[in-house]
PDB file of all heavy atoms in Angstrom:
ATOM      1  N   ARG A   1     -15.398  76.259  -1.764  1.00  0.00           N
ATOM      2  CA  ARG A   1     -15.038  75.264  -2.698  1.00  0.00           C
ATOM      3  C   ARG A   1     -14.166  75.956  -3.882  1.00  0.00           C
ATOM      4  O   ARG A   1     -13.113  75.357  -4.140  1.00  0.00           O
ATOM      5  CB  ARG A   1     -16.150  74.435  -3.229  1.00  0.00           C
ATOM      6  CG  ARG A   1     -16.514  73.435  -2.336  1.00  0.00           C
ATOM      7  CD  ARG A   1     -17.580  72.445  -3.027  1.00  0.00           C
ATOM      8  NE  ARG A   1     -17.884  71.413  -2.059  1.00  0.00           N
ATOM      9  CZ  ARG A   1     -19.183  70.899  -2.158  1.00  0.00           C
ATOM     10  NH1 ARG A   1     -19.991  71.170  -3.078  1.00  0.00           N
ATOM     11  NH2 ARG A   1     -19.576  70.027  -1.284  1.00  0.00           N
ATOM     12  N   ARG A   2     -14.716  76.988  -4.390  1.00  0.00           N
ATOM     13  CA  ARG A   2     -13.989  77.647  -5.527  1.00  0.00           C
ATOM     14  C   ARG A   2     -12.696  78.316  -4.988  1.00  0.00           C
ATOM     15  O   ARG A   2     -11.617  78.259  -5.659  1.00  0.00           O
ATOM     16  CB  ARG A   2     -14.932  78.664  -6.178  1.00  0.00           C
ATOM     17  CG  ARG A   2     -16.090  78.011  -7.064  1.00  0.00           C
ATOM     18  CD  ARG A   2     -16.639  79.121  -7.867  1.00  0.00           C
ATOM     19  NE  ARG A   2     -17.801  78.480  -8.617  1.00  0.00           N
ATOM     20  CZ  ARG A   2     -19.109  78.292  -8.208  1.00  0.00           C
ATOM     21  NH1 ARG A   2     -19.321  78.682  -6.974  1.00  0.00           N
ATOM     22  NH2 ARG A   2     -19.950  77.843  -8.891  1.00  0.00           N
ATOM     23  N   LEU A   3     -12.817  78.775  -3.802  1.00  0.00           N
ATOM     24  CA  LEU A   3     -11.602  79.378  -3.287  1.00  0.00           C
ATOM     25  C   LEU A   3     -10.494  78.390  -3.060  1.00  0.00           C
ATOM     26  O   LEU A   3      -9.350  78.623  -3.273  1.00  0.00           O
ATOM     27  CB  LEU A   3     -11.913  80.175  -1.944  1.00  0.00           C
ATOM     28  CG  LEU A   3     -10.742  80.680  -1.168  1.00  0.00           C
ATOM     29  CD1 LEU A   3      -9.949  81.614  -1.997  1.00  0.00           C
ATOM     30  CD2 LEU A   3     -11.150  81.249   0.213  1.00  0.00           C
ATOM     31  N   LEU A   4     -10.937  77.281  -2.466  1.00  0.00           N
ATOM     32  CA  LEU A   4      -9.904  76.186  -2.222  1.00  0.00           C
ATOM     33  C   LEU A   4      -9.363  75.630  -3.341  1.00  0.00           C
ATOM     34  O   LEU A   4      -8.103  75.438  -3.339  1.00  0.00           O
ATOM     35  CB  LEU A   4     -10.572  75.086  -1.346  1.00  0.00           C
ATOM     36  CG  LEU A   4      -9.625  73.936  -0.795  1.00  0.00           C
ATOM     37  CD1 LEU A   4      -8.504  74.485  -0.024  1.00  0.00           C
ATOM     38  CD2 LEU A   4     -10.523  72.971   0.087  1.00  0.00           C
ATOM     39  N   LYS A   5     -10.158  75.459  -4.438  1.00  0.00           N
ATOM     40  CA  LYS A   5      -9.697  74.955  -5.688  1.00  0.00           C
ATOM     41  C   LYS A   5      -8.635  75.944  -6.229  1.00  0.00           C
ATOM     42  O   LYS A   5      -7.500  75.622  -6.740  1.00  0.00           O
ATOM     43  CB  LYS A   5     -10.737  74.719  -6.665  1.00  0.00           C
ATOM     44  CG  LYS A   5     -10.302  74.232  -8.003  1.00  0.00           C
ATOM     45  CD  LYS A   5     -11.495  73.891  -8.854  1.00  0.00           C
ATOM     46  CE  LYS A   5     -11.018  73.286 -10.259  1.00  0.00           C
ATOM     47  NZ  LYS A   5     -12.266  73.006 -11.026  1.00  0.00           N
ATOM     48  N   ALA A   6      -8.928  77.300  -6.254  1.00  0.00           N
ATOM     49  CA  ALA A   6      -8.111  78.332  -6.754  1.00  0.00           C
ATOM     50  C   ALA A   6      -6.787  78.430  -5.960  1.00  0.00           C
ATOM     51  O   ALA A   6      -5.698  78.436  -6.550  1.00  0.00           O
ATOM     52  CB  ALA A   6      -8.757  79.607  -6.711  1.00  0.00           C
ATOM     53  N   PHE A   7      -6.859  78.205  -4.647  1.00  0.00           N
ATOM     54  CA  PHE A   7      -5.777  78.342  -3.664  1.00  0.00           C
ATOM     55  C   PHE A   7      -4.825  77.108  -4.044  1.00  0.00           C
ATOM     56  O   PHE A   7      -3.698  77.380  -4.143  1.00  0.00           O
ATOM     57  CB  PHE A   7      -6.193  78.283  -2.256  1.00  0.00           C
ATOM     58  CG  PHE A   7      -5.059  78.301  -1.283  1.00  0.00           C
ATOM     59  CD1 PHE A   7      -4.277  79.465  -1.123  1.00  0.00           C
ATOM     60  CD2 PHE A   7      -4.767  77.205  -0.556  1.00  0.00           C
ATOM     61  CE1 PHE A   7      -3.254  79.416  -0.259  1.00  0.00           C
ATOM     62  CE2 PHE A   7      -3.762  77.086   0.244  1.00  0.00           C
ATOM     63  CZ  PHE A   7      -2.931  78.243   0.540  1.00  0.00           C
ATOM     64  N   ARG A   8      -5.423  75.965  -4.132  1.00  0.00           N
ATOM     65  CA  ARG A   8      -4.624  74.850  -4.410  1.00  0.00           C
ATOM     66  C   ARG A   8      -3.836  74.827  -5.737  1.00  0.00           C
ATOM     67  O   ARG A   8      -2.655  74.545  -5.869  1.00  0.00           O
ATOM     68  CB  ARG A   8      -5.354  73.592  -4.376  1.00  0.00           C
ATOM     69  CG  ARG A   8      -5.713  73.063  -2.934  1.00  0.00           C
ATOM     70  CD  ARG A   8      -6.635  71.797  -2.965  1.00  0.00           C
ATOM     71  NE  ARG A   8      -6.908  71.388  -1.569  1.00  0.00           N
ATOM     72  CZ  ARG A   8      -7.890  70.648  -1.314  1.00  0.00           C
ATOM     73  NH1 ARG A   8      -8.765  70.213  -2.145  1.00  0.00           N
ATOM     74  NH2 ARG A   8      -8.133  70.310  -0.019  1.00  0.00           N
ATOM     75  N   GLY A   9      -4.403  75.394  -6.751  1.00  0.00           N
ATOM     76  CA  GLY A   9      -3.832  75.586  -8.034  1.00  0.00           C
ATOM     77  C   GLY A   9      -2.740  76.692  -7.996  1.00  0.00           C
ATOM     78  O   GLY A   9      -1.707  76.519  -8.503  1.00  0.00           O
ATOM     79  N   ALA A  10      -3.092  77.768  -7.459  1.00  0.00           N
ATOM     80  CA  ALA A  10      -2.146  78.894  -7.322  1.00  0.00           C
ATOM     81  C   ALA A  10      -0.936  78.670  -6.481  1.00  0.00           C
ATOM     82  O   ALA A  10       0.205  79.108  -6.630  1.00  0.00           O
ATOM     83  CB  ALA A  10      -2.837  80.116  -6.781  1.00  0.00           C
ATOM     84  N   VAL A  11      -1.101  77.843  -5.343  1.00  0.00           N
ATOM     85  CA  VAL A  11      -0.033  77.658  -4.456  1.00  0.00           C
ATOM     86  C   VAL A  11       1.174  76.862  -5.016  1.00  0.00           C
ATOM     87  O   VAL A  11       2.299  77.006  -4.712  1.00  0.00           O
ATOM     88  CB  VAL A  11      -0.434  77.099  -2.981  1.00  0.00           C
ATOM     89  CG1 VAL A  11      -0.648  75.599  -3.216  1.00  0.00           C
ATOM     90  CG2 VAL A  11       0.482  77.303  -1.895  1.00  0.00           C
ATOM     91  N   ARG A  12       0.803  76.116  -6.062  1.00  0.00           N
ATOM     92  CA  ARG A  12       1.850  75.416  -6.857  1.00  0.00           C
ATOM     93  C   ARG A  12       2.810  76.274  -7.593  1.00  0.00           C
ATOM     94  O   ARG A  12       3.918  75.876  -7.935  1.00  0.00           O
ATOM     95  CB  ARG A  12       1.229  74.470  -7.845  1.00  0.00           C
ATOM     96  CG  ARG A  12       0.394  73.312  -7.165  1.00  0.00           C
ATOM     97  CD  ARG A  12      -0.217  72.325  -8.171  1.00  0.00           C
ATOM     98  NE  ARG A  12      -0.968  71.367  -7.509  1.00  0.00           N
ATOM     99  CZ  ARG A  12      -2.390  71.184  -7.643  1.00  0.00           C
ATOM    100  NH1 ARG A  12      -2.972  71.953  -8.494  1.00  0.00           N
ATOM    101  NH2 ARG A  12      -2.990  70.283  -6.902  1.00  0.00           N
ATOM    102  N   LYS A  13       2.381  77.544  -7.822  1.00  0.00           N
ATOM    103  CA  LYS A  13       3.209  78.422  -8.534  1.00  0.00           C
ATOM    104  C   LYS A  13       4.401  79.019  -7.516  1.00  0.00           C
ATOM    105  O   LYS A  13       5.332  79.644  -8.118  1.00  0.00           O
ATOM    106  CB  LYS A  13       2.415  79.550  -9.052  1.00  0.00           C
ATOM    107  CG  LYS A  13       1.477  79.097 -10.175  1.00  0.00           C
ATOM    108  CD  LYS A  13       0.564  80.164 -10.706  1.00  0.00           C
ATOM    109  CE  LYS A  13      -0.344  79.615 -11.778  1.00  0.00           C
ATOM    110  NZ  LYS A  13      -1.144  80.568 -12.430  1.00  0.00           N
ATOM    111  N   GLY A  14       4.155  78.786  -6.296  1.00  0.00           N
ATOM    112  CA  GLY A  14       5.372  79.075  -5.390  1.00  0.00           C
ATOM    113  C   GLY A  14       5.284  80.338  -4.629  1.00  0.00           C
ATOM    114  O   GLY A  14       5.367  80.347  -3.388  1.00  0.00           O
ATOM    115  N   ARG A  15       5.014  81.534  -5.187  1.00  0.00           N
ATOM    116  CA  ARG A  15       5.113  82.835  -4.686  1.00  0.00           C
ATOM    117  C   ARG A  15       3.816  83.187  -4.077  1.00  0.00           C
ATOM    118  O   ARG A  15       2.844  82.991  -4.707  1.00  0.00           O
ATOM    119  CB  ARG A  15       5.718  83.841  -5.614  1.00  0.00           C
ATOM    120  CG  ARG A  15       7.148  83.535  -5.965  1.00  0.00           C
ATOM    121  CD  ARG A  15       7.600  84.528  -6.971  1.00  0.00           C
ATOM    122  NE  ARG A  15       7.415  85.850  -6.210  1.00  0.00           N
ATOM    123  CZ  ARG A  15       8.092  86.911  -6.426  1.00  0.00           C
ATOM    124  NH1 ARG A  15       9.163  86.911  -7.188  1.00  0.00           N
ATOM    125  NH2 ARG A  15       7.857  88.082  -5.769  1.00  0.00           N
ATOM    126  N   ALA A  16       3.850  83.856  -2.914  1.00  0.00           N
ATOM    127  CA  ALA A  16       2.622  84.459  -2.364  1.00  0.00           C
ATOM    128  C   ALA A  16       1.917  85.491  -3.357  1.00  0.00           C
ATOM    129  O   ALA A  16       0.695  85.494  -3.544  1.00  0.00           O
ATOM    130  CB  ALA A  16       2.927  85.290  -1.113  1.00  0.00           C
ATOM    131  N   ARG A  17       2.734  86.290  -4.102  1.00  0.00           N
ATOM    132  CA  ARG A  17       2.146  87.228  -4.990  1.00  0.00           C
ATOM    133  C   ARG A  17       1.266  86.500  -6.109  1.00  0.00           C
ATOM    134  O   ARG A  17       0.291  86.921  -6.663  1.00  0.00           O
ATOM    135  CB  ARG A  17       3.238  88.000  -5.752  1.00  0.00           C
ATOM    136  CG  ARG A  17       2.760  88.975  -6.736  1.00  0.00           C
ATOM    137  CD  ARG A  17       2.357  90.264  -6.039  1.00  0.00           C
ATOM    138  NE  ARG A  17       0.979  90.486  -6.532  1.00  0.00           N
ATOM    139  CZ  ARG A  17       0.283  91.472  -6.017  1.00  0.00           C
ATOM    140  NH1 ARG A  17       0.750  92.158  -5.154  1.00  0.00           N
ATOM    141  NH2 ARG A  17      -0.946  91.787  -6.504  1.00  0.00           N
ATOM    142  N   ALA A  18       1.896  85.344  -6.605  1.00  0.00           N
ATOM    143  CA  ALA A  18       1.163  84.543  -7.590  1.00  0.00           C
ATOM    144  C   ALA A  18      -0.137  83.950  -7.007  1.00  0.00           C
ATOM    145  O   ALA A  18      -1.210  83.856  -7.731  1.00  0.00           O
ATOM    146  CB  ALA A  18       2.059  83.383  -8.045  1.00  0.00           C
ATOM    147  N   VAL A  19      -0.233  83.675  -5.713  1.00  0.00           N
ATOM    148  CA  VAL A  19      -1.426  83.178  -5.144  1.00  0.00           C
ATOM    149  C   VAL A  19      -2.472  84.291  -5.163  1.00  0.00           C
ATOM    150  O   VAL A  19      -3.650  84.076  -5.494  1.00  0.00           O
ATOM    151  CB  VAL A  19      -1.102  82.671  -3.692  1.00  0.00           C
ATOM    152  CG1 VAL A  19      -2.449  82.354  -3.028  1.00  0.00           C
ATOM    153  CG2 VAL A  19      -0.278  81.393  -3.721  1.00  0.00           C
ATOM    154  N   VAL A  20      -2.016  85.423  -4.646  1.00  0.00           N
ATOM    155  CA  VAL A  20      -2.838  86.610  -4.689  1.00  0.00           C
ATOM    156  C   VAL A  20      -3.440  86.904  -6.086  1.00  0.00           C
ATOM    157  O   VAL A  20      -4.682  87.089  -6.260  1.00  0.00           O
ATOM    158  CB  VAL A  20      -2.188  87.755  -4.063  1.00  0.00           C
ATOM    159  CG1 VAL A  20      -3.001  89.061  -4.237  1.00  0.00           C
ATOM    160  CG2 VAL A  20      -1.989  87.611  -2.597  1.00  0.00           C
ATOM    161  N   ASP A  21      -2.557  87.073  -7.013  1.00  0.00           N
ATOM    162  CA  ASP A  21      -2.986  87.281  -8.384  1.00  0.00           C
ATOM    163  C   ASP A  21      -3.943  86.336  -9.081  1.00  0.00           C
ATOM    164  O   ASP A  21      -5.001  86.575  -9.562  1.00  0.00           O
ATOM    165  CB  ASP A  21      -1.735  87.490  -9.357  1.00  0.00           C
ATOM    166  CG  ASP A  21      -0.912  88.611  -9.006  1.00  0.00           C
ATOM    167  OD1 ASP A  21      -1.372  89.569  -8.281  1.00  0.00           O
ATOM    168  OD2 ASP A  21       0.208  88.673  -9.441  1.00  0.00           O
ATOM    169  N   GLU A  22      -3.584  85.000  -8.715  1.00  0.00           N
ATOM    170  CA  GLU A  22      -4.478  83.953  -9.350  1.00  0.00           C
ATOM    171  C   GLU A  22      -5.964  84.001  -8.715  1.00  0.00           C
ATOM    172  O   GLU A  22      -6.920  83.937  -9.423  1.00  0.00           O
ATOM    173  CB  GLU A  22      -3.832  82.615  -8.985  1.00  0.00           C
ATOM    174  CG  GLU A  22      -4.650  81.477  -9.615  1.00  0.00           C
ATOM    175  CD  GLU A  22      -4.353  81.036 -11.064  1.00  0.00           C
ATOM    176  OE1 GLU A  22      -3.436  81.705 -11.579  1.00  0.00           O
ATOM    177  OE2 GLU A  22      -5.000  80.186 -11.565  1.00  0.00           O
ATOM    178  N   ILE A  23      -6.021  84.160  -7.383  1.00  0.00           N
ATOM    179  CA  ILE A  23      -7.298  84.111  -6.643  1.00  0.00           C
ATOM    180  C   ILE A  23      -8.027  85.397  -7.063  1.00  0.00           C
ATOM    181  O   ILE A  23      -9.332  85.280  -7.367  1.00  0.00           O
ATOM    182  CB  ILE A  23      -7.082  84.069  -5.237  1.00  0.00           C
ATOM    183  CG1 ILE A  23      -6.531  82.606  -4.830  1.00  0.00           C
ATOM    184  CG2 ILE A  23      -8.390  84.413  -4.422  1.00  0.00           C
ATOM    185  CD1 ILE A  23      -6.180  82.447  -3.434  1.00  0.00           C
ATOM    186  N   GLN A  24      -7.349  86.545  -7.220  1.00  0.00           N
ATOM    187  CA  GLN A  24      -8.036  87.723  -7.570  1.00  0.00           C
ATOM    188  C   GLN A  24      -8.583  87.500  -9.045  1.00  0.00           C
ATOM    189  O   GLN A  24      -9.757  87.892  -9.286  1.00  0.00           O
ATOM    190  CB  GLN A  24      -7.064  88.873  -7.574  1.00  0.00           C
ATOM    191  CG  GLN A  24      -7.747  90.229  -7.955  1.00  0.00           C
ATOM    192  CD  GLN A  24      -6.837  91.345  -7.897  1.00  0.00           C
ATOM    193  OE1 GLN A  24      -6.193  91.612  -6.900  1.00  0.00           O
ATOM    194  NE2 GLN A  24      -6.655  92.077  -8.947  1.00  0.00           N
ATOM    195  N   ASP A  25      -7.782  87.019  -9.936  1.00  0.00           N
ATOM    196  CA  ASP A  25      -8.241  86.941 -11.276  1.00  0.00           C
ATOM    197  C   ASP A  25      -9.509  86.002 -11.368  1.00  0.00           C
ATOM    198  O   ASP A  25     -10.481  86.326 -12.113  1.00  0.00           O
ATOM    199  CB  ASP A  25      -7.220  86.383 -12.123  1.00  0.00           C
ATOM    200  CG  ASP A  25      -6.092  87.424 -12.413  1.00  0.00           C
ATOM    201  OD1 ASP A  25      -6.290  88.613 -12.145  1.00  0.00           O
ATOM    202  OD2 ASP A  25      -4.916  86.980 -12.944  1.00  0.00           O
ATOM    203  N   LEU A  26      -9.499  84.806 -10.640  1.00  0.00           N
ATOM    204  CA  LEU A  26     -10.501  83.881 -10.810  1.00  0.00           C
ATOM    205  C   LEU A  26     -11.865  84.334 -10.085  1.00  0.00           C
ATOM    206  O   LEU A  26     -12.878  84.232 -10.533  1.00  0.00           O
ATOM    207  CB  LEU A  26      -9.995  82.496 -10.135  1.00  0.00           C
ATOM    208  CG  LEU A  26      -9.017  81.814 -10.990  1.00  0.00           C
ATOM    209  CD1 LEU A  26      -8.473  80.588 -10.104  1.00  0.00           C
ATOM    210  CD2 LEU A  26      -9.602  81.306 -12.320  1.00  0.00           C
ATOM    211  N   ALA A  27     -11.616  85.128  -8.971  1.00  0.00           N
ATOM    212  CA  ALA A  27     -12.856  85.616  -8.263  1.00  0.00           C
ATOM    213  C   ALA A  27     -13.480  86.657  -8.983  1.00  0.00           C
ATOM    214  O   ALA A  27     -14.683  86.512  -9.203  1.00  0.00           O
ATOM    215  CB  ALA A  27     -12.438  86.042  -6.892  1.00  0.00           C
ATOM    216  N   PHE A  28     -12.708  87.522  -9.524  1.00  0.00           N
ATOM    217  CA  PHE A  28     -13.379  88.626 -10.158  1.00  0.00           C
ATOM    218  C   PHE A  28     -13.890  88.279 -11.563  1.00  0.00           C
ATOM    219  O   PHE A  28     -14.913  88.856 -12.088  1.00  0.00           O
ATOM    220  CB  PHE A  28     -12.417  89.886 -10.340  1.00  0.00           C
ATOM    221  CG  PHE A  28     -12.332  90.731  -9.081  1.00  0.00           C
ATOM    222  CD1 PHE A  28     -11.612  90.187  -7.968  1.00  0.00           C
ATOM    223  CD2 PHE A  28     -13.153  91.855  -8.911  1.00  0.00           C
ATOM    224  CE1 PHE A  28     -11.582  91.075  -6.852  1.00  0.00           C
ATOM    225  CE2 PHE A  28     -13.126  92.535  -7.736  1.00  0.00           C
ATOM    226  CZ  PHE A  28     -12.306  92.041  -6.712  1.00  0.00           C
ATOM    227  N   ALA A  29     -13.300  87.201 -12.208  1.00  0.00           N
ATOM    228  CA  ALA A  29     -14.000  86.709 -13.356  1.00  0.00           C
ATOM    229  C   ALA A  29     -15.299  86.025 -13.037  1.00  0.00           C
ATOM    230  O   ALA A  29     -16.150  86.153 -13.848  1.00  0.00           O
ATOM    231  CB  ALA A  29     -12.992  85.630 -14.019  1.00  0.00           C
ATOM    232  N   PHE A  30     -15.361  85.367 -11.877  1.00  0.00           N
ATOM    233  CA  PHE A  30     -16.644  84.818 -11.417  1.00  0.00           C
ATOM    234  C   PHE A  30     -17.710  85.869 -11.223  1.00  0.00           C
ATOM    235  O   PHE A  30     -18.867  85.624 -11.631  1.00  0.00           O
ATOM    236  CB  PHE A  30     -16.356  83.898 -10.261  1.00  0.00           C
ATOM    237  CG  PHE A  30     -17.658  83.210  -9.695  1.00  0.00           C
ATOM    238  CD1 PHE A  30     -17.969  82.078 -10.204  1.00  0.00           C
ATOM    239  CD2 PHE A  30     -18.291  83.787  -8.726  1.00  0.00           C
ATOM    240  CE1 PHE A  30     -19.190  81.476  -9.788  1.00  0.00           C
ATOM    241  CE2 PHE A  30     -19.475  83.206  -8.144  1.00  0.00           C
ATOM    242  CZ  PHE A  30     -19.858  81.966  -8.880  1.00  0.00           C
ATOM    243  N   TYR A  31     -17.350  86.878 -10.612  1.00  0.00           N
ATOM    244  CA  TYR A  31     -18.254  87.991 -10.230  1.00  0.00           C
ATOM    245  C   TYR A  31     -18.697  88.546 -11.588  1.00  0.00           C
ATOM    246  O   TYR A  31     -19.854  89.101 -11.601  1.00  0.00           O
ATOM    247  CB  TYR A  31     -17.742  88.986  -9.436  1.00  0.00           C
ATOM    248  CG  TYR A  31     -17.058  88.605  -8.141  1.00  0.00           C
ATOM    249  CD1 TYR A  31     -15.937  89.217  -7.586  1.00  0.00           C
ATOM    250  CD2 TYR A  31     -17.521  87.447  -7.378  1.00  0.00           C
ATOM    251  CE1 TYR A  31     -15.445  88.901  -6.390  1.00  0.00           C
ATOM    252  CE2 TYR A  31     -16.959  87.150  -6.259  1.00  0.00           C
ATOM    253  CZ  TYR A  31     -15.871  87.897  -5.775  1.00  0.00           C
ATOM    254  OH  TYR A  31     -15.251  87.493  -4.495  1.00  0.00           O
ATOM    255  N   ASP A  32     -18.017  88.404 -12.718  1.00  0.00           N
ATOM    256  CA  ASP A  32     -18.401  88.893 -13.971  1.00  0.00           C
ATOM    257  C   ASP A  32     -18.991  90.230 -14.214  1.00  0.00           C
ATOM    258  O   ASP A  32     -20.042  90.548 -14.570  1.00  0.00           O
ATOM    259  CB  ASP A  32     -19.433  87.829 -14.525  1.00  0.00           C
ATOM    260  CG  ASP A  32     -19.775  87.924 -16.046  1.00  0.00           C
ATOM    261  OD1 ASP A  32     -18.867  88.429 -16.777  1.00  0.00           O
ATOM    262  OD2 ASP A  32     -20.904  87.725 -16.438  1.00  0.00           O
ATOM    263  N   GLY A  33     -18.239  91.148 -13.398  1.00  0.00           N
ATOM    264  CA  GLY A  33     -18.601  92.560 -13.504  1.00  0.00           C
ATOM    265  C   GLY A  33     -19.716  93.069 -12.786  1.00  0.00           C
ATOM    266  O   GLY A  33     -20.072  94.160 -12.793  1.00  0.00           O
ATOM    267  N   ARG A  34     -20.362  92.168 -11.900  1.00  0.00           N
ATOM    268  CA  ARG A  34     -21.505  92.513 -11.079  1.00  0.00           C
ATOM    269  C   ARG A  34     -20.892  93.401  -9.908  1.00  0.00           C
ATOM    270  O   ARG A  34     -19.650  93.297  -9.386  1.00  0.00           O
ATOM    271  CB  ARG A  34     -21.948  91.250 -10.363  1.00  0.00           C
ATOM    272  CG  ARG A  34     -23.256  91.557  -9.484  1.00  0.00           C
ATOM    273  CD  ARG A  34     -24.054  90.309  -9.444  1.00  0.00           C
ATOM    274  NE  ARG A  34     -25.358  90.795  -8.850  1.00  0.00           N
ATOM    275  CZ  ARG A  34     -25.852  90.226  -7.716  1.00  0.00           C
ATOM    276  NH1 ARG A  34     -25.210  89.241  -7.076  1.00  0.00           N
ATOM    277  NH2 ARG A  34     -26.979  90.615  -7.304  1.00  0.00           N
TER     278      ARG A  34
END
């Protein structure tokens, strides 16, 4: 669910690189240094 929400938000930015960056930032923020 979180991945899908992140993907839907990121894909609006247009570029594949933006999708990767957005998902990476959100996922690693969620992991919170674990």
Side-chain angles (χ1 to χ4, degrees):
R1 280 191 183 148
R2 286 185 183 91
L3 173 59
L4 185 56
K5 183 177 179 181
F7 177 73
R8 285 180 175 157
V11 80
R12 292 184 187 116
K13 296 180 179 181
R15 296 182 50 151
R17 179 81 235 177
V19 172
V20 168
D21 290 343
E22 180 88 4
I23 290 172
Q24 178 177 311
D25 290 348
L26 292 170
F28 280 82
F30 179 83
Y31 305 150
D32 192 27
R34 184 156 191 239

